[in-house]
Amino acid sequence: MAELAAVSVRTLHHYDEIGLVQSSARTSAGYRAYSAGDVERLREVLAFRRLGFGLREIADLVDDPATDAVARLHRLRGLLVEQRDRTAAMVTAIDKELEERAMGIRTAPEDQLKLFGAQLYEAIGSAYPATRRTEPRIAARIREALGDARTVLNVGAGTGSYEPSDREVTAVEPSAVMRAQRPAGAAPCVAASAERLPFADQSFDAAMAVSTVHHWPDPIAGLREMRRVARRVVVFTYDASTTGWLQRFWLTRDYLPEFADLLADWPSLADMARAIGGRAEPVLIPWDCADGFFEAHWRRPEAYLDEHVRRAVSVWTRVGPEAEQRAVNMLRTDLVSGRWAERNRDLVALDAAELGLRLLVA
């Protein structure tokens, strides 16, 4: 095992002793015997370790009840691709600086630091079509709905998109994988579920939830919890209760009808609004939406052919690889033939589309 994994026997012993990767059995001579499941766990541990995660963080990641092996593999792949693309971008930037220096041009100090700072992503943004970034126009709607709230609870916070920087924010996120990706300086994050918020009644001025309710085992219970702990509630979600809702979006209408199965038990918009005692407001999606959620590329169909775009959206994983590949192949064929353009010619003139996204405000 040590030879196959390229680690020392001492490392395997240590992982066993701390409960990170324990062998399932022992031979009669006392040697550790690893099952296929043990090997899979070790592979995950070593992958996260080589990405720079600490052993305690890795334990939380691989034991996270909110994810399975497939979900962790997708996350690992995403992190590795991100690391690869970041490295490639830095190499490109360094090559550019070397060329400039060969011509006697000296790069400014602030530009040198941009290689390692957040602005690197601005320089290579086209390489990250799948990243889930804050869409400023949607963020403005959320900030407006939060009103004068100073203390805000972000439920199902993920990596922290849409968290207002001018408020005192506390985040709640059950997934260790997502918590591990929150950037430095992000709001403190509590490991908890929406259905069991570990806070007293009316602890916050407002509670918010953005593109997360569909991941909750019991959405209504989670919404009622938000109402319990906060005086104001703001939820960005989806309406699947309107007649003909599956026909609103060409992707679900023509290529991915399996989307309907994902929301078969989804509560109605009226039930969700009732759970928080609030109202629902439509949210139009701008054609150049920066946040790569499922409907974001409604006027940019080619984006859905990019695997990175799809991997950033849980829908594609949940419908399964066969449905995904069939939808992608059909869309590619229709884009080449011009059939998609003919079917959706009215979309070109739209700057924003109504595709069922809603803001619940109470």
Coordinates of all heavy atoms in Angstrom, one line a residue, residues 82 139 296 326:
E82 N -8.7 23.9 -11.2 CA -8.5 25.3 -10.9 C -7.0 25.6 -10.6 O -6.4 26.6 -11.0 CB -9.3 25.7 -9.6 CG -9.1 27.1 -9.1 CD -10.0 27.4 -7.9 OE1 -11.1 26.8 -7.8 OE2 -9.6 28.3 -7.1
A139 N -27.3 40.8 -6.8 CA -26.8 41.2 -5.5 C -27.5 42.5 -5.0 O -27.8 42.7 -3.8 CB -25.3 41.4 -5.5
A296 N -28.3 30.7 -16.3 CA -27.5 32.0 -16.5 C -27.2 32.2 -18.0 O -27.1 33.3 -18.5 CB -26.3 32.0 -15.7
R326 N -26.6 13.2 -23.6 CA -27.6 13.2 -24.7 C -28.0 14.7 -24.9 O -28.1 15.1 -26.1 CB -28.8 12.4 -24.3 CG -29.9 12.3 -25.3 CD -31.3 12.2 -24.8 NE -31.7 13.4 -24.1 CZ -32.1 13.4 -22.8 NH1 -32.0 12.4 -22.0 NH2 -32.4 14.6 -22.2

